[in-house]
Amino acid sequence: MTLALVPGSFDPVTNGHLDIIQRAVELFDEVRVVVARNSSKTPLFTVEERLEMLREVCAPLARVSVDSFEGLLVNYALECGATVIVKGLRFVSDFEYELQMALMNRRLNSAIETVFLPTSAPYSDLSSSIVKEIARLGGSVEGLVPEIVQQRLREKYTIQST
Ligand code: ADP
């Protein structure tokens, strides 16, 4: 049984993330989407809010679970028996960063392999930051994020602007 982790900040989860998660399920027996608690990015949504949205959108997907982790991802992987880390790649800049992370994770634990999946064409320019920027400026994020995330973004920015 191979358990693969799909880590990220998911602030919030986008259709690009979901595409990677769905493709990871085709490749591995079980997939766990994990939210990094100690990311250096300043988030819009709390970890709990991000987990709630992820749980809702991943609920229809068989063999997919959702969790969060603190500290090193390789330590979390060891604790739960995961042997694969799945990362999506969009731009060359993703590759530079992700390759460095993959090499460091391999140095920390050579039993855990990182697998890169290239983005699907419709999502190649999609990121959580872009989605937040569009929503903040009042634009439509339909088709970029699941319905529940559209609602949560509307709520966040309505509260912030009142
Ligand atoms: P973001 O970079 O959008 O803030 P995360 O930090 O949550 O996203 O990213 C988690 C993982 O998901 C990273 O490996 C990132 O490359 C991947 N990812 C994010 N958006 C996409 C997308 N549109 N297509 C492919 N991979 C993606």
Side-chain angles (χ1 to χ4, degrees):
M1 205 278 296
T2 305
L3 171 61
L5 301 179
V6 181
S9 7
F10 303 103
D11 184 41
V13 57
T14 68
N15 288 344
H17 290 129
L18 273 180
D19 174 66
I20 296 291
I21 295 165
Q22 281 161 344
R23 286 161 60 201
V25 184
E26 300 296 320
L27 296 172
F28 305 103
D29 302 310
E30 280 195 36
V31 167
R32 189 172 301 175
V33 185
V34 285
V35 176
R37 283 191 173 267
N38 53 350
S39 161
S40 53
K41 300 176 192 168
T42 308
L44 174 66
F45 292 99
T46 66
V47 170
E48 275 59 40
E49 288 172 324
R50 285 179 264 157
L51 285 169
E52 205 182 303
M53 288 183 273
L54 272 171
R55 289 209 172 97
E56 185 155 339
V57 298
C58 291
L61 305 176
R63 298 181 283 116
V64 176
S65 57
V66 174
D67 194 10
S68 63
F69 71 99
E70 201 140 25
L72 287 174
L73 180 62
V74 285
N75 289 347
Y76 175 86
L78 267 181
E79 280 163 27
C80 66
T83 49
V84 175
I85 296 171
V86 176
K87 300 303 293 275
L89 289 182
R90 287 160 294 188
F91 324 106
V92 176
S93 54
D94 267 354
F95 180 73
E96 285 179 12
Y97 176 72
E98 297 295 352
L99 179 64
Q100 200 178 1
M101 291 279 282
L103 293 177
M104 187 48 69
N105 282 335
R106 155 109 34 106
R107 193 192 291 263
L108 293 168
N109 187 335
S110 59
I112 296 166
E113 195 65 84
T114 299
V115 172
F116 293 126
L117 295 182
T119 184
S120 295
Y123 308 124
S124 60
D125 56 353
L126 182 54
S127 71
S128 297
S129 331
I130 289 282
V131 162
K132 284 183 281 191
E133 192 61 5
I134 298 171
R136 188 177 69 83
L137 299 173
S140 167
V141 291
E142 205 182 323
L144 305 181
V145 293
E147 178 60 39
I148 165 92
V149 178
Q150 289 182 46
Q151 279 171 28
R152 293 298 166 86
L153 281 165
R154 274 196 295 269
E155 287 161 19
K156 271 281 174 201
Y157 287 116
T158 312
I159 291 164
Q160 282 192 1
S161 63
T162 49

